[in-house]
Amino acid sequence: MTVEQLISFARGAPSLDIVDVEGLKAAAVRAFDADPSGVTAYGTSVGYLPLREWIAEKHGVGADQVLVTNGSLQADAFLFDHLVRPGDAVVVERPTYDRTLLNLRNMGGELHAVTIQPDGMDTAELRKLLESGVRPKLAHVIPNYQNPAGVTLSLEKRRELLDLAAEFGFTIFEDDPYADIRFRGEALPSMLSMDTRNVVVHASSFTKTVCPGVRVGYLVGPADLIGDIAKKATNLYISPGMVSQAIVHQFCVSGDIRRSIETVRAALGERASVLAESLRRHIPQARFVQPDGGYFLWVELPEDVEVDQLAPAAAERGVAVVKGSDFVVDGGRHALRLAFSAVTVDRIDEGVRRLAEAMEAVRS
Ligand SMILES: Cc1ncc(COP(=O)(O)O)c(C=O)c1O
């Protein structure tokens, strides 16, 4: 199978055609021209200061509440390392981002998975868990266009979660890299912006709005927590990459980022609806919630389809998917995550057709 023939619904990464390569090249030139000493020096562990300020303004917080990291996965890892000790209870969504599960498990966290519904985490189930005596250190929540389920946490549930965190004394970790990739509907306020009781730590990223290769993400939280994590970051790597952060800063202040977000939104909105149509046509038994934004669509298949068999059968036909079981502590045997971010519209229907063929092969 040649690379050209492979249709990959596996990776949560954008295709090259929606990355503003020319804009990034120009931003790099401006960054070196405008601030050669800042771009080429070590800098400090809180990140490139002008970008830190831009992010602070975007979120309406003080710059001392922002730590700019090498991608938001590093922000996640810093927060977990800071708050979670072996044996600590941690709430995660079911299903959730596979690397979150892996990292929390490796740290010895005791994971409590709370079901995701079409409007986000089942807050009644969470309340029951808390009332049963479980006292989590944090709840990890991906509020917008969730990875992998594609769903968005409703405003009502955002309020409920904030109340539960205050009542039961845990931190909400709002892991929010997809917020700006909205195809339809109104943007909902972040829990960070709704928080009056200091219960939220927020992470986001330029991976989905600029490109993954810049490796620029960030953490926003109380200044003392950010200060403590910044000290650990200094010991770990002195400072994150100033060159890429300065390029992202130029890309942001010039307004290029707004155009880039529009490009990504338009392309991914079209890909999501083509994918949904193709699924209805080729796999009518598939159940899914068509996302309002983001990169992913979660598909539930009939009980007689085992994804352990389906994924290799699809790979043989040149289609890559990720098994639902990767996103849950146990179960997920009849579900798939389909990323539509990297497949152009002319390839989506063919990818789903091959997937349907693989499904029929493993069922018979
Ligand atoms: C929910 C979530 N958090 C964090 C990340 C990590 O993103 P990055 O490190 O590229 O910013 C991802 C990437 O897919 C994600 O889906």
Side-chain angles (χ1 to χ4, degrees):
M1 189 68 53
T2 65
V3 175
E4 281 78 20
Q5 288 171 304
L6 177 74
I7 299 175
S8 178
F9 293 113
R11 289 220 69 193
S15 51
L16 182 58
D17 60 305
I18 54 172
V19 174
D20 181 5
V21 175
E22 290 307 314
L24 283 167
K25 277 161 67 181
V29 171
R30 289 197 303 277
F32 279 101
D33 283 348
D35 185 17
S37 62
V39 173
T40 56
Y42 269 122
T44 76
S45 68
V46 295
Y48 185 62
L49 297 178
L51 181 62
R52 188 191 199 205
E53 279 160 19
W54 189 89
I55 294 165
E57 203 178 312
K58 172 178 162 97
H59 289 284
V61 299
D64 59 350
Q65 291 180 257
V66 177
L67 177 86
V68 194
T69 53
N70 299 300
S72 67
L73 190 62
Q74 186 169 55
D76 299 16
F78 275 142
L79 187 72
F80 295 158
D81 181 59
H82 192 69
L83 291 185
V84 181
R85 295 286 157 266
D88 281 349
V90 178
V91 168
V92 294
E93 295 167 310
R94 179 190 160 79
T96 192
Y97 180 38
D98 47 352
R99 292 189 203 280
T100 300
L101 281 182
L102 211 71
N103 288 345
L104 285 169
R105 265 206 198 122
N106 287 344
M107 304 191 65
E110 183 193 295
L111 302 190
H112 295 270
V114 176
T115 313
I116 284 263
Q117 299 171 309
D119 61 348
M121 181 185 270
D122 183 344
T123 42
E125 187 181 317
L126 175 60
R127 174 171 279 285
K128 233 188 233 168
L129 180 76
L130 297 166
E131 284 174 351
S132 77
V134 171
R135 289 291 171 269
K137 271 282 174 54
L138 67 91
H140 176 260
V141 181
I142 306 166
N144 294 299
Y145 327 123
Q146 202 251 12
N147 179 6
V151 303
T152 294
L153 186 68
S154 68
L155 184 59
E156 188 49 41
K157 285 188 167 178
R158 289 173 198 233
R159 290 200 188 100
E160 278 173 37
L161 262 177
L162 288 165
D163 288 345
L164 287 172
E167 185 181 341
F168 291 93
F170 61 88
T171 296
I172 296 173
F173 180 32
E174 181 173 52
D175 189 1
D176 199 19
Y178 302 101
D180 288 330
I181 315 298
R182 187 179 72 255
F183 319 143
R184 52 184 192 185
E186 285 299 297
L188 294 176
S190 67
M191 287 184 280
L192 176 75
S193 70
M194 296 164 71
D195 181 19
T196 53
R197 293 163 288 194
N198 257 356
V199 293
V200 176
V201 177
H202 178 102
S204 191
S205 177
F206 293 94
T207 282
K208 316 293 171 179
T209 51
V210 179
C211 69
V214 289
R215 305 311 297 132
V216 182
Y218 57 89
L219 203 59
V220 183
D224 52 349
L225 175 128
I226 293 297
D228 287 346
I229 295 179
K231 278 185 208 137
K232 290 186 189 172
T234 306
N235 294 336
L236 191 67
Y237 53 47
I238 307 175
S239 64
M242 291 294 121
V243 173
S244 62
Q245 293 196 4
I247 294 171
V248 168
H249 172 250
Q250 286 295 335
F251 198 78
C252 291
V253 293
S254 66
D256 286 351
I257 192 161
R258 281 198 306 275
R259 279 187 293 281
S260 177
I261 289 171
E262 280 315 313
T263 304
V264 175
R265 274 183 183 168
L268 269 49
E270 189 186 6
R271 290 175 197 181
S273 60
V274 171
L275 178 59
E277 271 168 40
S278 295
L279 283 167
R280 288 185 198 109
R281 184 176 321 124
H282 297 297
I283 314 181
Q285 317 90 316
R287 285 180 296 126
F288 57 89
V289 175
Q290 195 172 328
D292 293 334
Y295 274 41
F296 307 109
L297 191 148
W298 178 257
V299 184
E300 307 261 8
L301 296 168
E303 298 268 304
D304 62 342
V305 180
E306 293 284 341
V307 287
D308 274 345
Q309 292 167 7
L310 177 60
E316 275 171 26
R317 290 162 177 81
V319 179
V321 295
V322 187
K323 298 185 290 185
S325 47
D326 287 4
F327 304 96
V328 289
V329 177
D330 51 55
R333 285 169 38 215
H334 315 294
L336 290 178
R337 187 193 74 176
L338 299 179
F340 47 80
S341 50
V343 190
T344 48
V345 281
D346 55 317
R347 310 274 285 151
I348 290 175
D349 194 68
E350 170 61 12
V352 177
R353 195 195 59 73
R354 292 185 199 173
L355 185 62
E357 201 180 282
M359 197 173 107
E360 285 319 307
V362 300
R363 283 178 109 178
S364 52

